[in-house]
Amino acid sequence: MPLLASLRRSLLAAASMFAPIAATAQTTPPDARVLRVVPHADLRTLDPMAVSVTITRMHGLMIYETLFAWDSQLNPRPQMVQDVTTSPDGLVWRFTLREGLKFHDGQPVTSRDVVASLRRWMARDVVGSHLGARVASLETDGDRGIVMRLSRPHAFVTYALGSAVGALPVIMREADAQAEPGVPITTTIGSGPFRFNRDQWLSGQRVVYDRNPDYVPRSEPADGLAGGRVVKVDRVEWRIMPDAATAAAAIQTGEIDIWEQPALDLVPAITRRRDVVVDRLNGISTQAMLRPNTIFPPFNDPRARLALAYATDQADAMAGGWGDERWWRRCDAYFVCGTSMASEAGAEGYARPNLERARSLLQEAGYRGERIVFITSNDIAPIGRMAEVVAANLRAVGMNIDLQVNDWGTVVTRQPRRDPPDQGGWNLFVTFASGATMLHPLTNIGANMSCDGRNWAGWPCDEEAERLRATLLDAPEGAERQRAAEALQRRLAEVQPYRVLGQVDQPYARRANVMGMLNSPVMLFWNVEKTTR
């Protein structure tokens, strides 16, 4: 009997713990307190440490937090951290968590959760693995203290811990973070300003988040991802609308409040309305790319990868994807034209297509017309259109292109597969990544050519490029860093971890009564409100 009574008390306690979540999920807020958004893609993967796709990062930032966060200028600021101290030699870092941090299930966030989460992130992410390679030990110091000891100094510790790119260094519950690093988790219990409403989630149609009433924001003003994450609506609903014309009609009638990535050919129509505003989310251009799989022929040979650069025309690809040239520009800089480490050194030869040179390089690499599996999707229209243009460019130099069109969720889940192309794997895909991701050698997921096989899908390996990247990351600001950036750019232009296809300034659209959008690498929904007009 005592055992039964104890079990009954445990069950009652658990029920009371989850009661607030259930109550929130079943309550329908008034229309003025609901923000309805058309995102660029459907949410398929719930684990923001598992994949580097933008929609999963957006989801992760809704429900989780990180120790630090980038402000609008991409400077790291404390987020979950209250205090941070560093030893004079830069080898010992001590962090103290803010008081009152709680997970959505009511459990307090502790140093054990942080240590487990960071270890999982360091095992999965390109930024995390770079930092992790210098971490000699990571330990708890009481319930709120964390001590990180480095084997040698790292110039970007807080920048990495606040990363908003790649796989995010979010803080999960210890039990979730201890799951197998290679298997995405499906739990959605964070400590962030929103709660994931699983009852309302309908794949392919909607994703719903409710305001976390227990969340205590920082006192500083919101600035990018940093500062006070003050939620001013009760619910955020993502409405999945793959058809651009449907989304355009919805923003004009007020059925939706925000369209994250409006089709550029429809922008003139929606901007004619006084109650719709079209604007840029941030000031750093997005980079488009063609990513080859370097595990299998022909792109295990850098000459075949270089052939991609000579065969493709950036103007064709970008015009196909985004139309009017006012939205895009040519750029062969791996670290994004217009930013501090940008250089186009080494790319002079393929600034314009050279089909004969492309054919010659393919022949030298031993390519003899084997089938090339090129995966893509029309769910994100610019990606699908760019893929069609690039496929035509590659066929023109004799490549046997099998363009396989699937839904975006299938493409995303297929990218990490290392199977041979004829067994569910792939040779090529087109995608794009935010400028905030690609402007820095630490966060540029495509330029990581580490040979441990833990880098981004495509898995290019080049020890010289990695030596130059390490030199750049350790270089002091100023002329020395610029020289190191140019040297790395030249090597990347030679070995081609991916073909840069250009840069685009993707706008977003909102109803005029939506206020408070933040300048950020990804779209955020705290600080946003719907005014009555």
Side-chain angles (χ1 to χ4, degrees):
M1 287 296 291
L3 179 60
L4 291 175
S6 175
L7 179 59
R8 188 178 297 112
R9 284 195 298 271
S10 298
L11 291 172
L12 288 171
S16 65
M17 183 182 298
F18 287 97
I21 298 177
T24 302
Q26 300 306 318
T27 302
T28 302
D31 183 74
R33 302 285 296 174
V34 179
L35 194 65
R36 296 181 174 90
V37 180
V38 173
H40 68 279
D42 189 18
L43 177 67
R44 295 295 186 89
T45 304
L46 300 175
D47 183 352
M49 284 192 194
V51 295
S52 61
V53 295
T54 302
I55 194 67
T56 298
R57 289 206 299 275
M58 289 170 59
H59 160 79
L61 291 168
M62 294 288 279
I63 65 173
Y64 295 103
E65 287 195 287
T66 51
L67 297 184
F68 292 81
W70 292 349
D71 65 17
S72 57
Q73 302 304 308
L74 306 185
N75 298 312
R77 306 294 185 199
Q79 188 59 36
M80 298 179 79
V81 166
Q82 177 178 300
D83 298 307
V84 56
T85 59
T86 313
S87 62
D89 60 6
L91 295 179
V92 182
W93 293 73
R94 297 180 182 274
F95 310 101
T96 304
L97 295 175
R98 288 199 292 143
E99 292 185 359
L101 295 175
K102 292 194 299 184
F103 287 111
H104 300 155
D105 62 2
Q107 295 182 49
V109 179
T110 71
S111 55
R112 294 185 302 279
D113 302 304
V114 173
V115 168
S117 297
L118 292 184
R119 284 175 175 162
R120 184 171 190 260
W121 170 65
M122 290 174 184
R124 293 196 59 92
D125 181 60
V126 294
V127 177
S129 63
H130 189 275
L131 176 58
R134 300 191 186 188
V135 173
S137 66
L138 184 62
E139 303 165 345
T140 62
D141 182 13
D143 285 342
R144 293 172 52 219
I146 303 99
V147 181
M148 178 186 293
R149 291 183 169 84
L150 304 180
S151 57
R152 63 191 184 99
H154 192 293
F156 302 100
V157 171
T158 58
Y159 184 84
L161 294 176
S163 175
V165 302
L168 299 182
V170 298
I171 304 306
M172 302 174 167
R173 297 178 301 183
E174 181 181 22
D176 296 332
Q178 287 177 335
E180 170 59 42
V183 179
I185 66 168
T186 57
T187 53
T188 52
I189 303 297
S191 63
F194 291 94
R195 291 171 170 172
F196 182 68
N197 190 327
R198 193 176 288 268
D199 290 341
Q200 294 290 318
W201 179 32
L202 190 58
S203 182
Q205 295 189 34
R206 68 172 179 265
V207 186
V208 178
Y209 302 90
D210 293 317
R211 181 179 64 86
N212 177 10
D214 299 324
Y215 179 75
V216 179
R218 296 187 67 91
S219 59
E220 303 95 330
D223 182 7
L225 286 96
R229 300 182 176 182
V230 178
V231 177
K232 300 181 179 181
V233 294
D234 292 330
R235 176 170 289 180
V236 177
E237 295 180 359
W238 291 357
R239 303 283 186 88
I240 311 305
M241 294 184 185
D243 181 67
T246 302
I251 191 111
Q252 291 178 86
T253 61
E255 179 186 342
I256 62 169
D257 303 299
I258 299 172
W259 188 5
E260 185 200 358
Q261 292 185 8
L264 296 184
D265 58 339
L266 295 176
V267 165
I270 62 177
T271 52
R272 284 197 289 267
R273 296 186 61 100
R274 296 178 61 185
D275 52 3
V276 176
V277 177
V278 175
D279 200 356
R280 290 182 63 179
L281 192 64
N282 63 70
I284 306 172
S285 297
T286 293
Q287 186 182 82
M289 71 184 88
L290 173 65
R291 183 70 164 182
N293 187 338
T294 68
I295 296 179
F296 302 103
F299 302 119
N300 59 335
D301 191 313
R303 290 170 295 187
R305 301 197 298 271
L306 186 57
L308 297 175
Y310 280 101
T312 50
D313 189 331
Q314 287 189 343
D316 286 350
M318 298 304 286
W322 279 277
D324 194 324
E325 194 170 356
R326 64 178 170 156
W327 300 112
W328 58 266
R329 61 175 288 186
R330 291 177 180 268
C331 173
D332 280 304
Y334 279 92
F335 300 117
V336 185
C337 290
T339 66
S340 62
M341 284 187 265
S343 168
E344 295 182 275
E348 298 84 359
Y350 56 78
R352 294 293 187 274
N354 184 333
L355 304 190
E356 286 305 313
R357 179 63 176 143
R359 294 186 187 101
S360 176
L361 285 165
L362 287 171
Q363 186 174 26
E364 291 174 21
Y367 178 67
R368 298 296 183 267
E370 295 84 357
R371 184 170 67 110
I372 302 297
V373 176
F374 192 156
I375 59 174
T376 193
S377 173
N378 291 323
D379 290 356
I380 304 176
I383 285 179
R385 293 195 296 261
M386 279 196 302
E388 291 177 3
V389 171
V390 170
N393 288 161
L394 300 183
R395 289 181 180 123
V397 296
M399 301 196 78
N400 178 14
I401 300 296
D402 178 10
L403 189 64
Q404 299 184 5
V405 182
N406 299 111
D407 63 89
W408 182 240
T410 298
V411 172
V412 168
T413 55
R414 197 169 170 183
Q415 286 172 0
R417 294 180 59 173
R418 298 172 187 252
D419 305 279
D422 60 354
Q423 297 177 32
W426 55 277
N427 294 111
L428 293 169
F429 65 81
V430 164
T431 191
F432 49 84
S434 71
T437 301
M438 309 308 277
L439 64 79
H440 198 288
L442 182 63
T443 57
N444 184 310
I445 55 176
N448 182 330
M449 300 190 74
S450 59
C451 296
D452 58 7
R454 298 196 303 178
N455 49 347
W456 185 46
W459 310 283
C461 164
D462 187 80
E463 292 180 354
E464 176 62 11
E466 282 303 286
R467 184 189 69 79
L468 292 170
R469 189 166 73 103
T471 299
L472 174 54
L473 289 170
D474 287 335
E477 285 191 77
E480 186 175 341
R481 183 173 290 180
Q482 289 302 121
R483 287 193 295 271
E486 181 170 322
L488 176 56
Q489 163 71 30
R490 287 187 181 279
R491 181 62 179 177
L492 294 175
E494 179 182 354
V495 296
Q496 291 286 315
Y498 63 93
R499 165 57 165 146
V500 181
L501 292 177
Q503 293 180 192
V504 63
D505 295 322
Q506 172 68 56
Y508 78 96
R510 61 176 170 82
R511 298 287 296 178
N513 67 325
V514 173
M515 311 297 289
M517 299 294 293
L518 293 165
N519 180 340
S520 171
V522 295
M523 186 169 280
L524 309 172
F525 303 105
W526 57 81
N527 200 58
V528 181
E529 60 184 324
K530 291 169 67 173
T531 61
T532 55
R533 297 170 51 127

